[in-house]
Amino acid sequence: MSASLPPSVALNNGLQMPLLGLGTYKLSGPEEVHSAVDAALAAGYRAFDSAAVYRNEAHLGRALKQLLPKYGLTRKDVFITSKLGPKDQGGKAMEGALHSLSQLDLDYIDLYLIHWPGTQGLPVSDQRNPGNRAQSWATLEELHGQGKLKAIGVSNYTPAHMRELMSSCRIPPAVLQVEFHPRLCQAGLRSVCEESRVCFQSYSSLGKGELLADPLVIEVAESCKRTPAQVLLRWAVQQGVPVLPKSSNPERIEENCRIFDFELSKADMERLSSLDCGHKYCWDPSEVA
Ligand code: A2P
């Protein structure tokens, strides 16, 4: 096990969230999820990020039940995130969130996010999208009030979606989770989050693995005797941005955890940030009304 656990950040409701969590997108089947969670707990991960659309909430819940005792841990030692699927946006949000709770077999979820600003089955430009996500947010607020969702937030929102939410919510979002890496520095969203005290969290910090072959990333990795993945993850956490690298490979899961025992120089941080070109490897929410 790692000598020390990854540090945490305080969310705007006081809850502590680890700066590193295991992303589980594309982890499928009970065995793959079990072995990834086992490797992650052994390495020192204490946060796990799932979603209704990943179809692995039940596998994650079961793996945690089986594995926490092996590491002398209990439910309160881990931070579990899941997300409301776009098919449940609006009128089905309560059903969707309760389904996540029952799939994970948990009494509460630490952080629950609206996964996407749009609604499955509606065109992105459909003017019902804003009303649907407002209804989802009101549902998340209600479940937060009941203690079933300890923190609530959103994912894949643009600055416009964030401003709309901030101007109408009763409880402000604790987290915005979006794609973030040196080719997509998200300056606009980061300043909205800073102004509103929303924690900006990264997914796809490795650019779906493609950034690992970037010549500058490789050069920086060689100069500090780390791997390209560690450099990309360090670049984010050194800015205080929590990361969620996904891997199904135990060695890579462990490698991705060793990012808190070295520092990138200011010059290397700036060189990496200069790769910013607004490139998205994942879905693009900019057209969602
Ligand atoms: P694998 O599961 O085989 O390790 P992102 O988080 O940006 O979406 O990137 C995830 C991708 O990067 C996955 O394909 C994952 O593959 C790969 N990956 C994760 N960690 C590492 C690592 N340390 N070295 C190389 N590839 C990695």
PDB file of all heavy atoms in Angstrom, residues 23 25-27 32 180-181 203-212 227-230 233 244-253 255-256 281-282, ligand 1:
ATOM      1  N   GLY A  23     -11.307   6.349 -12.338  1.00  0.00           N
ATOM      2  CA  GLY A  23     -12.370   6.446 -13.330  1.00  0.00           C
ATOM      3  C   GLY A  23     -12.767   5.037 -13.739  1.00  0.00           C
ATOM      4  O   GLY A  23     -11.905   4.157 -13.861  1.00  0.00           O
ATOM      5  N   TYR A  25     -15.144   4.412 -16.407  1.00  0.00           N
ATOM      6  CA  TYR A  25     -15.753   4.354 -17.743  1.00  0.00           C
ATOM      7  C   TYR A  25     -15.084   3.230 -18.535  1.00  0.00           C
ATOM      8  O   TYR A  25     -13.852   3.131 -18.559  1.00  0.00           O
ATOM      9  CB  TYR A  25     -15.555   5.703 -18.440  1.00  0.00           C
ATOM     10  CG  TYR A  25     -16.064   5.753 -19.864  1.00  0.00           C
ATOM     11  CD1 TYR A  25     -17.365   5.371 -20.170  1.00  0.00           C
ATOM     12  CD2 TYR A  25     -15.253   6.185 -20.899  1.00  0.00           C
ATOM     13  CE1 TYR A  25     -17.836   5.426 -21.474  1.00  0.00           C
ATOM     14  CE2 TYR A  25     -15.716   6.256 -22.203  1.00  0.00           C
ATOM     15  CZ  TYR A  25     -17.009   5.866 -22.491  1.00  0.00           C
ATOM     16  OH  TYR A  25     -17.471   5.917 -23.784  1.00  0.00           O
ATOM     17  N   LYS A  26     -15.888   2.365 -19.121  1.00  0.00           N
ATOM     18  CA  LYS A  26     -15.412   1.224 -19.910  1.00  0.00           C
ATOM     19  C   LYS A  26     -14.911   0.056 -19.064  1.00  0.00           C
ATOM     20  O   LYS A  26     -14.477  -0.947 -19.618  1.00  0.00           O
ATOM     21  CB  LYS A  26     -14.316   1.635 -20.909  1.00  0.00           C
ATOM     22  CG  LYS A  26     -14.822   2.562 -22.009  1.00  0.00           C
ATOM     23  CD  LYS A  26     -14.500   2.003 -23.382  1.00  0.00           C
ATOM     24  CE  LYS A  26     -15.237   2.745 -24.473  1.00  0.00           C
ATOM     25  NZ  LYS A  26     -14.403   3.671 -25.192  1.00  0.00           N
ATOM     26  N   LEU A  27     -14.931   0.180 -17.738  1.00  0.00           N
ATOM     27  CA  LEU A  27     -14.688  -1.031 -16.938  1.00  0.00           C
ATOM     28  C   LEU A  27     -16.009  -1.784 -16.971  1.00  0.00           C
ATOM     29  O   LEU A  27     -17.041  -1.251 -16.562  1.00  0.00           O
ATOM     30  CB  LEU A  27     -14.328  -0.703 -15.486  1.00  0.00           C
ATOM     31  CG  LEU A  27     -12.952  -0.106 -15.210  1.00  0.00           C
ATOM     32  CD1 LEU A  27     -12.760   0.071 -13.701  1.00  0.00           C
ATOM     33  CD2 LEU A  27     -11.831  -0.968 -15.775  1.00  0.00           C
ATOM     34  N   GLU A  32     -13.661  -7.567 -14.063  1.00  0.00           N
ATOM     35  CA  GLU A  32     -12.786  -6.438 -14.391  1.00  0.00           C
ATOM     36  C   GLU A  32     -12.916  -5.338 -13.333  1.00  0.00           C
ATOM     37  O   GLU A  32     -11.926  -4.747 -12.902  1.00  0.00           O
ATOM     38  CB  GLU A  32     -13.119  -5.882 -15.787  1.00  0.00           C
ATOM     39  CG  GLU A  32     -12.075  -4.903 -16.257  1.00  0.00           C
ATOM     40  CD  GLU A  32     -12.233  -4.478 -17.716  1.00  0.00           C
ATOM     41  OE1 GLU A  32     -13.351  -4.069 -18.113  1.00  0.00           O
ATOM     42  OE2 GLU A  32     -11.240  -4.542 -18.450  1.00  0.00           O
ATOM     43  N   PHE A 180     -10.456  17.655 -19.320  1.00  0.00           N
ATOM     44  CA  PHE A 180      -9.409  18.643 -19.007  1.00  0.00           C
ATOM     45  C   PHE A 180      -8.041  17.994 -19.158  1.00  0.00           C
ATOM     46  O   PHE A 180      -7.782  16.926 -18.591  1.00  0.00           O
ATOM     47  CB  PHE A 180      -9.604  19.113 -17.560  1.00  0.00           C
ATOM     48  CG  PHE A 180      -8.553  20.075 -17.044  1.00  0.00           C
ATOM     49  CD1 PHE A 180      -8.460  21.365 -17.539  1.00  0.00           C
ATOM     50  CD2 PHE A 180      -7.658  19.682 -16.055  1.00  0.00           C
ATOM     51  CE1 PHE A 180      -7.498  22.264 -17.045  1.00  0.00           C
ATOM     52  CE2 PHE A 180      -6.708  20.564 -15.548  1.00  0.00           C
ATOM     53  CZ  PHE A 180      -6.627  21.858 -16.050  1.00  0.00           C
ATOM     54  N   HIS A 181      -7.199  18.618 -19.959  1.00  0.00           N
ATOM     55  CA  HIS A 181      -5.824  18.140 -20.171  1.00  0.00           C
ATOM     56  C   HIS A 181      -5.071  19.270 -20.871  1.00  0.00           C
ATOM     57  O   HIS A 181      -5.687  20.307 -21.210  1.00  0.00           O
ATOM     58  CB  HIS A 181      -5.829  16.840 -21.005  1.00  0.00           C
ATOM     59  CG  HIS A 181      -6.747  16.886 -22.184  1.00  0.00           C
ATOM     60  ND1 HIS A 181      -6.515  17.702 -23.273  1.00  0.00           N
ATOM     61  CD2 HIS A 181      -7.927  16.266 -22.433  1.00  0.00           C
ATOM     62  CE1 HIS A 181      -7.499  17.549 -24.147  1.00  0.00           C
ATOM     63  NE2 HIS A 181      -8.384  16.693 -23.645  1.00  0.00           N
ATOM     64  N   TYR A 203     -11.911  14.970 -16.091  1.00  0.00           N
ATOM     65  CA  TYR A 203     -11.917  13.590 -16.611  1.00  0.00           C
ATOM     66  C   TYR A 203     -11.124  13.584 -17.904  1.00  0.00           C
ATOM     67  O   TYR A 203     -10.853  14.639 -18.489  1.00  0.00           O
ATOM     68  CB  TYR A 203     -13.340  13.029 -16.760  1.00  0.00           C
ATOM     69  CG  TYR A 203     -14.183  13.540 -17.919  1.00  0.00           C
ATOM     70  CD1 TYR A 203     -13.924  13.170 -19.236  1.00  0.00           C
ATOM     71  CD2 TYR A 203     -15.277  14.363 -17.692  1.00  0.00           C
ATOM     72  CE1 TYR A 203     -14.716  13.612 -20.294  1.00  0.00           C
ATOM     73  CE2 TYR A 203     -16.070  14.811 -18.733  1.00  0.00           C
ATOM     74  CZ  TYR A 203     -15.776  14.425 -20.039  1.00  0.00           C
ATOM     75  OH  TYR A 203     -16.557  14.878 -21.078  1.00  0.00           O
ATOM     76  N   SER A 204     -10.736  12.397 -18.313  1.00  0.00           N
ATOM     77  CA  SER A 204      -9.901  12.227 -19.521  1.00  0.00           C
ATOM     78  C   SER A 204      -8.622  13.062 -19.468  1.00  0.00           C
ATOM     79  O   SER A 204      -8.241  13.698 -20.450  1.00  0.00           O
ATOM     80  CB  SER A 204     -10.705  12.556 -20.779  1.00  0.00           C
ATOM     81  OG  SER A 204     -10.874  11.378 -21.522  1.00  0.00           O
ATOM     82  N   SER A 205      -7.960  13.021 -18.344  1.00  0.00           N
ATOM     83  CA  SER A 205      -6.700  13.758 -18.179  1.00  0.00           C
ATOM     84  C   SER A 205      -5.618  13.242 -19.111  1.00  0.00           C
ATOM     85  O   SER A 205      -4.626  13.922 -19.350  1.00  0.00           O
ATOM     86  CB  SER A 205      -6.187  13.611 -16.745  1.00  0.00           C
ATOM     87  OG  SER A 205      -7.172  13.970 -15.832  1.00  0.00           O
ATOM     88  N   LEU A 206      -5.793  12.009 -19.601  1.00  0.00           N
ATOM     89  CA  LEU A 206      -4.789  11.436 -20.516  1.00  0.00           C
ATOM     90  C   LEU A 206      -5.237  11.581 -21.966  1.00  0.00           C
ATOM     91  O   LEU A 206      -4.610  11.026 -22.862  1.00  0.00           O
ATOM     92  CB  LEU A 206      -4.554   9.953 -20.186  1.00  0.00           C
ATOM     93  CG  LEU A 206      -4.316   9.611 -18.699  1.00  0.00           C
ATOM     94  CD1 LEU A 206      -4.077   8.112 -18.533  1.00  0.00           C
ATOM     95  CD2 LEU A 206      -3.134  10.402 -18.150  1.00  0.00           C
ATOM     96  N   GLY A 207      -6.304  12.327 -22.186  1.00  0.00           N
ATOM     97  CA  GLY A 207      -6.813  12.474 -23.558  1.00  0.00           C
ATOM     98  C   GLY A 207      -7.152  11.115 -24.156  1.00  0.00           C
ATOM     99  O   GLY A 207      -6.743  10.817 -25.282  1.00  0.00           O
ATOM    100  N   LYS A 208      -7.865  10.300 -23.370  1.00  0.00           N
ATOM    101  CA  LYS A 208      -8.216   8.925 -23.771  1.00  0.00           C
ATOM    102  C   LYS A 208      -6.964   8.103 -24.088  1.00  0.00           C
ATOM    103  O   LYS A 208      -6.982   7.203 -24.927  1.00  0.00           O
ATOM    104  CB  LYS A 208      -9.149   8.947 -24.973  1.00  0.00           C
ATOM    105  CG  LYS A 208     -10.587   9.329 -24.631  1.00  0.00           C
ATOM    106  CD  LYS A 208     -11.486   8.996 -25.775  1.00  0.00           C
ATOM    107  CE  LYS A 208     -12.939   8.964 -25.363  1.00  0.00           C
ATOM    108  NZ  LYS A 208     -13.827   8.915 -26.523  1.00  0.00           N
ATOM    109  N   GLY A 209      -5.854   8.481 -23.502  1.00  0.00           N
ATOM    110  CA  GLY A 209      -4.593   7.755 -23.734  1.00  0.00           C
ATOM    111  C   GLY A 209      -3.776   8.362 -24.869  1.00  0.00           C
ATOM    112  O   GLY A 209      -2.576   8.121 -24.988  1.00  0.00           O
ATOM    113  N   GLU A 210      -4.402   9.189 -25.701  1.00  0.00           N
ATOM    114  CA  GLU A 210      -3.696   9.691 -26.894  1.00  0.00           C
ATOM    115  C   GLU A 210      -2.597  10.697 -26.557  1.00  0.00           C
ATOM    116  O   GLU A 210      -1.598  10.798 -27.273  1.00  0.00           O
ATOM    117  CB  GLU A 210      -4.688  10.317 -27.876  1.00  0.00           C
ATOM    118  CG  GLU A 210      -5.539   9.261 -28.546  1.00  0.00           C
ATOM    119  CD  GLU A 210      -6.433   9.830 -29.629  1.00  0.00           C
ATOM    120  OE1 GLU A 210      -5.987  10.720 -30.365  1.00  0.00           O
ATOM    121  OE2 GLU A 210      -7.577   9.366 -29.718  1.00  0.00           O
ATOM    122  N   LEU A 211      -2.773  11.450 -25.457  1.00  0.00           N
ATOM    123  CA  LEU A 211      -1.761  12.456 -25.087  1.00  0.00           C
ATOM    124  C   LEU A 211      -0.460  11.834 -24.581  1.00  0.00           C
ATOM    125  O   LEU A 211       0.552  12.523 -24.471  1.00  0.00           O
ATOM    126  CB  LEU A 211      -2.326  13.391 -24.005  1.00  0.00           C
ATOM    127  CG  LEU A 211      -3.146  14.564 -24.516  1.00  0.00           C
ATOM    128  CD1 LEU A 211      -3.827  15.258 -23.342  1.00  0.00           C
ATOM    129  CD2 LEU A 211      -2.254  15.552 -25.249  1.00  0.00           C
ATOM    130  N   LEU A 212      -0.525  10.539 -24.293  1.00  0.00           N
ATOM    131  CA  LEU A 212       0.683   9.870 -23.780  1.00  0.00           C
ATOM    132  C   LEU A 212       1.782   9.838 -24.838  1.00  0.00           C
ATOM    133  O   LEU A 212       2.947   9.672 -24.515  1.00  0.00           O
ATOM    134  CB  LEU A 212       0.331   8.435 -23.351  1.00  0.00           C
ATOM    135  CG  LEU A 212      -0.720   8.329 -22.240  1.00  0.00           C
ATOM    136  CD1 LEU A 212      -1.198   6.897 -22.076  1.00  0.00           C
ATOM    137  CD2 LEU A 212      -0.155   8.858 -20.929  1.00  0.00           C
ATOM    138  N   THR A 227       6.560   8.795 -15.804  1.00  0.00           N
ATOM    139  CA  THR A 227       5.927   8.342 -17.039  1.00  0.00           C
ATOM    140  C   THR A 227       5.059   9.473 -17.606  1.00  0.00           C
ATOM    141  O   THR A 227       4.657  10.388 -16.867  1.00  0.00           O
ATOM    142  CB  THR A 227       5.029   7.114 -16.783  1.00  0.00           C
ATOM    143  OG1 THR A 227       3.929   7.540 -15.965  1.00  0.00           O
ATOM    144  CG2 THR A 227       5.796   5.997 -16.084  1.00  0.00           C
ATOM    145  N   PRO A 228       4.724   9.411 -18.898  1.00  0.00           N
ATOM    146  CA  PRO A 228       3.839  10.432 -19.479  1.00  0.00           C
ATOM    147  C   PRO A 228       2.506  10.538 -18.727  1.00  0.00           C
ATOM    148  O   PRO A 228       2.002  11.642 -18.504  1.00  0.00           O
ATOM    149  CB  PRO A 228       3.641   9.943 -20.916  1.00  0.00           C
ATOM    150  CG  PRO A 228       4.916   9.213 -21.225  1.00  0.00           C
ATOM    151  CD  PRO A 228       5.278   8.504 -19.938  1.00  0.00           C
ATOM    152  N   ALA A 229       1.964   9.410 -18.284  1.00  0.00           N
ATOM    153  CA  ALA A 229       0.685   9.467 -17.556  1.00  0.00           C
ATOM    154  C   ALA A 229       0.858  10.241 -16.255  1.00  0.00           C
ATOM    155  O   ALA A 229       0.021  11.087 -15.895  1.00  0.00           O
ATOM    156  CB  ALA A 229       0.178   8.048 -17.274  1.00  0.00           C
ATOM    157  N   GLN A 230       1.956   9.975 -15.550  1.00  0.00           N
ATOM    158  CA  GLN A 230       2.179  10.688 -14.280  1.00  0.00           C
ATOM    159  C   GLN A 230       2.351  12.188 -14.513  1.00  0.00           C
ATOM    160  O   GLN A 230       1.880  13.002 -13.714  1.00  0.00           O
ATOM    161  CB  GLN A 230       3.404  10.107 -13.561  1.00  0.00           C
ATOM    162  CG  GLN A 230       3.129   8.715 -12.996  1.00  0.00           C
ATOM    163  CD  GLN A 230       4.382   8.026 -12.492  1.00  0.00           C
ATOM    164  OE1 GLN A 230       5.475   8.207 -13.029  1.00  0.00           O
ATOM    165  NE2 GLN A 230       4.232   7.213 -11.467  1.00  0.00           N
ATOM    166  N   LEU A 233      -1.141  13.714 -15.169  1.00  0.00           N
ATOM    167  CA  LEU A 233      -1.958  13.758 -13.946  1.00  0.00           C
ATOM    168  C   LEU A 233      -1.389  14.786 -12.973  1.00  0.00           C
ATOM    169  O   LEU A 233      -2.140  15.538 -12.340  1.00  0.00           O
ATOM    170  CB  LEU A 233      -2.028  12.362 -13.313  1.00  0.00           C
ATOM    171  CG  LEU A 233      -2.740  11.311 -14.185  1.00  0.00           C
ATOM    172  CD1 LEU A 233      -2.516   9.904 -13.639  1.00  0.00           C
ATOM    173  CD2 LEU A 233      -4.241  11.613 -14.286  1.00  0.00           C
ATOM    174  N   LEU A 244      -9.347  11.735 -12.411  1.00  0.00           N
ATOM    175  CA  LEU A 244     -10.036  10.441 -12.358  1.00  0.00           C
ATOM    176  C   LEU A 244      -9.526   9.499 -13.439  1.00  0.00           C
ATOM    177  O   LEU A 244     -10.289   9.079 -14.321  1.00  0.00           O
ATOM    178  CB  LEU A 244     -11.543  10.666 -12.570  1.00  0.00           C
ATOM    179  CG  LEU A 244     -12.251  11.544 -11.544  1.00  0.00           C
ATOM    180  CD1 LEU A 244     -13.600  12.023 -12.072  1.00  0.00           C
ATOM    181  CD2 LEU A 244     -12.430  10.769 -10.236  1.00  0.00           C
ATOM    182  N   PRO A 245      -8.211   9.182 -13.432  1.00  0.00           N
ATOM    183  CA  PRO A 245      -7.720   8.325 -14.512  1.00  0.00           C
ATOM    184  C   PRO A 245      -8.387   6.954 -14.479  1.00  0.00           C
ATOM    185  O   PRO A 245      -8.555   6.365 -13.413  1.00  0.00           O
ATOM    186  CB  PRO A 245      -6.222   8.204 -14.206  1.00  0.00           C
ATOM    187  CG  PRO A 245      -6.109   8.459 -12.735  1.00  0.00           C
ATOM    188  CD  PRO A 245      -7.186   9.467 -12.423  1.00  0.00           C
ATOM    189  N   LYS A 246      -8.751   6.494 -15.669  1.00  0.00           N
ATOM    190  CA  LYS A 246      -9.324   5.151 -15.784  1.00  0.00           C
ATOM    191  C   LYS A 246      -8.220   4.196 -16.230  1.00  0.00           C
ATOM    192  O   LYS A 246      -7.463   4.487 -17.147  1.00  0.00           O
ATOM    193  CB  LYS A 246     -10.449   5.154 -16.818  1.00  0.00           C
ATOM    194  CG  LYS A 246     -11.010   3.784 -17.149  1.00  0.00           C
ATOM    195  CD  LYS A 246     -10.377   3.168 -18.390  1.00  0.00           C
ATOM    196  CE  LYS A 246     -10.670   1.675 -18.484  1.00  0.00           C
ATOM    197  NZ  LYS A 246      -9.959   1.021 -19.604  1.00  0.00           N
ATOM    198  N   SER A 247      -8.120   3.081 -15.555  1.00  0.00           N
ATOM    199  CA  SER A 247      -7.302   1.990 -16.079  1.00  0.00           C
ATOM    200  C   SER A 247      -7.855   0.686 -15.558  1.00  0.00           C
ATOM    201  O   SER A 247      -8.391   0.615 -14.458  1.00  0.00           O
ATOM    202  CB  SER A 247      -5.835   2.139 -15.669  1.00  0.00           C
ATOM    203  OG  SER A 247      -5.102   1.061 -16.220  1.00  0.00           O
ATOM    204  N   SER A 248      -7.710  -0.350 -16.378  1.00  0.00           N
ATOM    205  CA  SER A 248      -8.112  -1.679 -15.921  1.00  0.00           C
ATOM    206  C   SER A 248      -6.875  -2.487 -15.548  1.00  0.00           C
ATOM    207  O   SER A 248      -6.987  -3.632 -15.125  1.00  0.00           O
ATOM    208  CB  SER A 248      -8.882  -2.390 -17.040  1.00  0.00           C
ATOM    209  OG  SER A 248      -8.109  -2.359 -18.219  1.00  0.00           O
ATOM    210  N   ASN A 249      -5.697  -1.878 -15.716  1.00  0.00           N
ATOM    211  CA  ASN A 249      -4.449  -2.601 -15.530  1.00  0.00           C
ATOM    212  C   ASN A 249      -3.848  -2.289 -14.143  1.00  0.00           C
ATOM    213  O   ASN A 249      -3.570  -1.120 -13.846  1.00  0.00           O
ATOM    214  CB  ASN A 249      -3.498  -2.155 -16.652  1.00  0.00           C
ATOM    215  CG  ASN A 249      -2.121  -2.740 -16.492  1.00  0.00           C
ATOM    216  OD1 ASN A 249      -1.393  -2.379 -15.577  1.00  0.00           O
ATOM    217  ND2 ASN A 249      -1.773  -3.634 -17.386  1.00  0.00           N
ATOM    218  N   PRO A 250      -3.647  -3.306 -13.286  1.00  0.00           N
ATOM    219  CA  PRO A 250      -3.183  -3.047 -11.911  1.00  0.00           C
ATOM    220  C   PRO A 250      -1.893  -2.234 -11.843  1.00  0.00           C
ATOM    221  O   PRO A 250      -1.762  -1.359 -10.989  1.00  0.00           O
ATOM    222  CB  PRO A 250      -2.988  -4.454 -11.326  1.00  0.00           C
ATOM    223  CG  PRO A 250      -3.910  -5.313 -12.122  1.00  0.00           C
ATOM    224  CD  PRO A 250      -3.959  -4.732 -13.503  1.00  0.00           C
ATOM    225  N   GLU A 251      -0.932  -2.503 -12.756  1.00  0.00           N
ATOM    226  CA  GLU A 251       0.333  -1.739 -12.706  1.00  0.00           C
ATOM    227  C   GLU A 251       0.082  -0.276 -13.046  1.00  0.00           C
ATOM    228  O   GLU A 251       0.637   0.632 -12.428  1.00  0.00           O
ATOM    229  CB  GLU A 251       1.371  -2.307 -13.694  1.00  0.00           C
ATOM    230  CG  GLU A 251       2.027  -3.602 -13.225  1.00  0.00           C
ATOM    231  CD  GLU A 251       1.138  -4.805 -13.487  1.00  0.00           C
ATOM    232  OE1 GLU A 251       0.479  -4.841 -14.549  1.00  0.00           O
ATOM    233  OE2 GLU A 251       1.063  -5.696 -12.616  1.00  0.00           O
ATOM    234  N   ARG A 252      -0.765  -0.038 -14.050  1.00  0.00           N
ATOM    235  CA  ARG A 252      -1.032   1.359 -14.434  1.00  0.00           C
ATOM    236  C   ARG A 252      -1.878   2.074 -13.364  1.00  0.00           C
ATOM    237  O   ARG A 252      -1.704   3.266 -13.123  1.00  0.00           O
ATOM    238  CB  ARG A 252      -1.706   1.420 -15.801  1.00  0.00           C
ATOM    239  CG  ARG A 252      -0.764   0.981 -16.920  1.00  0.00           C
ATOM    240  CD  ARG A 252      -1.243   1.425 -18.282  1.00  0.00           C
ATOM    241  NE  ARG A 252      -2.279   0.577 -18.841  1.00  0.00           N
ATOM    242  CZ  ARG A 252      -2.046  -0.552 -19.513  1.00  0.00           C
ATOM    243  NH1 ARG A 252      -0.814  -0.977 -19.714  1.00  0.00           N
ATOM    244  NH2 ARG A 252      -3.035  -1.269 -19.992  1.00  0.00           N
ATOM    245  N   ILE A 253      -2.754   1.337 -12.721  1.00  0.00           N
ATOM    246  CA  ILE A 253      -3.544   1.931 -11.627  1.00  0.00           C
ATOM    247  C   ILE A 253      -2.598   2.416 -10.526  1.00  0.00           C
ATOM    248  O   ILE A 253      -2.730   3.526 -10.009  1.00  0.00           O
ATOM    249  CB  ILE A 253      -4.567   0.888 -11.085  1.00  0.00           C
ATOM    250  CG1 ILE A 253      -5.693   0.698 -12.117  1.00  0.00           C
ATOM    251  CG2 ILE A 253      -5.129   1.311  -9.721  1.00  0.00           C
ATOM    252  CD1 ILE A 253      -6.659  -0.425 -11.816  1.00  0.00           C
ATOM    253  N   GLU A 255       0.668   3.066 -10.895  1.00  0.00           N
ATOM    254  CA  GLU A 255       1.497   4.146 -11.475  1.00  0.00           C
ATOM    255  C   GLU A 255       0.761   5.491 -11.393  1.00  0.00           C
ATOM    256  O   GLU A 255       1.348   6.517 -11.021  1.00  0.00           O
ATOM    257  CB  GLU A 255       1.787   3.783 -12.945  1.00  0.00           C
ATOM    258  CG  GLU A 255       2.464   4.847 -13.755  1.00  0.00           C
ATOM    259  CD  GLU A 255       2.507   4.462 -15.250  1.00  0.00           C
ATOM    260  OE1 GLU A 255       2.602   3.260 -15.582  1.00  0.00           O
ATOM    261  OE2 GLU A 255       2.431   5.386 -16.089  1.00  0.00           O
ATOM    262  N   ASN A 256      -0.528   5.469 -11.702  1.00  0.00           N
ATOM    263  CA  ASN A 256      -1.308   6.716 -11.740  1.00  0.00           C
ATOM    264  C   ASN A 256      -1.533   7.323 -10.353  1.00  0.00           C
ATOM    265  O   ASN A 256      -1.923   8.476 -10.224  1.00  0.00           O
ATOM    266  CB  ASN A 256      -2.667   6.477 -12.412  1.00  0.00           C
ATOM    267  CG  ASN A 256      -2.522   6.104 -13.880  1.00  0.00           C
ATOM    268  OD1 ASN A 256      -1.457   6.283 -14.462  1.00  0.00           O
ATOM    269  ND2 ASN A 256      -3.573   5.572 -14.480  1.00  0.00           N
ATOM    270  N   TYR A 281     -11.406  15.253 -26.929  1.00  0.00           N
ATOM    271  CA  TYR A 281     -11.394  13.834 -27.326  1.00  0.00           C
ATOM    272  C   TYR A 281     -12.750  13.202 -27.041  1.00  0.00           C
ATOM    273  O   TYR A 281     -13.048  12.132 -27.529  1.00  0.00           O
ATOM    274  CB  TYR A 281     -10.312  13.075 -26.543  1.00  0.00           C
ATOM    275  CG  TYR A 281      -8.904  13.512 -26.887  1.00  0.00           C
ATOM    276  CD1 TYR A 281      -8.224  14.438 -26.099  1.00  0.00           C
ATOM    277  CD2 TYR A 281      -8.265  13.015 -28.021  1.00  0.00           C
ATOM    278  CE1 TYR A 281      -6.942  14.846 -26.423  1.00  0.00           C
ATOM    279  CE2 TYR A 281      -6.978  13.417 -28.347  1.00  0.00           C
ATOM    280  CZ  TYR A 281      -6.328  14.336 -27.540  1.00  0.00           C
ATOM    281  OH  TYR A 281      -5.062  14.744 -27.871  1.00  0.00           O
ATOM    282  N   CYS A 282     -13.527  13.859 -26.184  1.00  0.00           N
ATOM    283  CA  CYS A 282     -14.799  13.260 -25.749  1.00  0.00           C
ATOM    284  C   CYS A 282     -15.976  14.069 -26.300  1.00  0.00           C
ATOM    285  O   CYS A 282     -15.802  14.865 -27.199  1.00  0.00           O
ATOM    286  CB  CYS A 282     -14.833  13.182 -24.231  1.00  0.00           C
ATOM    287  SG  CYS A 282     -13.378  12.340 -23.553  1.00  0.00           S
TER     288      CYS A 282
HETATM  289  P1  A2P B   1      -5.925   0.776 -19.731  1.00  0.00           P
HETATM  290  O1  A2P B   1      -7.252   0.629 -19.051  1.00  0.00           O
HETATM  291  O2  A2P B   1      -5.605  -0.369 -20.628  1.00  0.00           O
HETATM  292  O3  A2P B   1      -4.809   1.104 -18.751  1.00  0.00           O
HETATM  293  P2  A2P B   1      -8.493   8.774 -19.933  1.00  0.00           P
HETATM  294  O4  A2P B   1      -8.575   8.655 -18.436  1.00  0.00           O
HETATM  295  O5  A2P B   1      -7.856  10.029 -20.418  1.00  0.00           O
HETATM  296  O6  A2P B   1      -9.814   8.516 -20.620  1.00  0.00           O
HETATM  297  O7  A2P B   1      -7.514   7.619 -20.424  1.00  0.00           O
HETATM  298  C1  A2P B   1      -7.828   6.290 -20.217  1.00  0.00           C
HETATM  299  C2  A2P B   1      -7.023   5.443 -21.183  1.00  0.00           C
HETATM  300  O8  A2P B   1      -5.630   5.540 -20.865  1.00  0.00           O
HETATM  301  C3  A2P B   1      -7.396   4.008 -21.108  1.00  0.00           C
HETATM  302  O9  A2P B   1      -7.403   3.496 -22.419  1.00  0.00           O
HETATM  303  C4  A2P B   1      -6.280   3.367 -20.275  1.00  0.00           C
HETATM  304  O10 A2P B   1      -6.040   2.048 -20.739  1.00  0.00           O
HETATM  305  C5  A2P B   1      -5.098   4.238 -20.578  1.00  0.00           C
HETATM  306  N1  A2P B   1      -4.202   4.410 -19.424  1.00  0.00           N
HETATM  307  C6  A2P B   1      -4.538   4.703 -18.156  1.00  0.00           C
HETATM  308  N2  A2P B   1      -3.462   4.858 -17.388  1.00  0.00           N
HETATM  309  C7  A2P B   1      -2.389   4.636 -18.178  1.00  0.00           C
HETATM  310  C8  A2P B   1      -0.991   4.633 -17.970  1.00  0.00           C
HETATM  311  N3  A2P B   1      -0.464   4.890 -16.782  1.00  0.00           N
HETATM  312  N4  A2P B   1      -0.189   4.358 -19.040  1.00  0.00           N
HETATM  313  C9  A2P B   1      -0.704   4.104 -20.251  1.00  0.00           C
HETATM  314  N5  A2P B   1      -2.022   4.083 -20.517  1.00  0.00           N
HETATM  315  C10 A2P B   1      -2.866   4.349 -19.493  1.00  0.00           C
END
